[in-house]
Coordinates of all heavy atoms in Angstrom, one line a residue:
H117 N -25.0 -60.1 33.9 CA -24.6 -59.1 34.9 C -25.2 -59.4 36.3 O -24.8 -58.9 37.3 CB -24.9 -57.7 34.5 CG -26.3 -57.4 34.5 ND1 -27.2 -57.6 33.4 CD2 -27.2 -56.8 35.5 CE1 -28.4 -57.2 33.7 NE2 -28.4 -56.8 35.0
V147 N -22.7 -69.3 40.3 CA -23.8 -69.3 39.3 C -23.3 -68.9 37.9 O -23.7 -69.5 36.9 CB -24.8 -68.2 39.8 CG1 -25.8 -67.9 38.7 CG2 -25.5 -68.7 41.0
G196 N -33.4 -71.9 45.1 CA -33.2 -71.1 46.3 C -34.1 -69.9 46.3 O -34.4 -69.3 45.2
A199 N -34.6 -64.9 51.6 CA -35.3 -64.8 52.9 C -36.4 -63.8 52.9 O -37.5 -64.0 53.5 CB -34.3 -64.6 54.0
A201 N -38.3 -63.0 50.5 CA -39.4 -63.4 49.6 C -40.2 -64.6 50.1 O -41.1 -65.1 49.5 CB -38.9 -63.6 48.2
G231 N -31.8 -83.1 50.3 CA -31.3 -83.7 51.5 C -32.4 -83.9 52.5 O -33.4 -83.2 52.5
M244 N -46.8 -80.5 46.1 CA -47.1 -80.4 44.7 C -47.3 -81.7 44.0 O -47.6 -81.8 42.8 CB -45.9 -79.7 44.0 CG -45.7 -78.2 44.5 SD -44.4 -77.4 43.6 CE -45.0 -77.3 41.9

Side-chain angles (χ1 to χ4, degrees):
H117 71 273
V147 170
M244 293 183 68

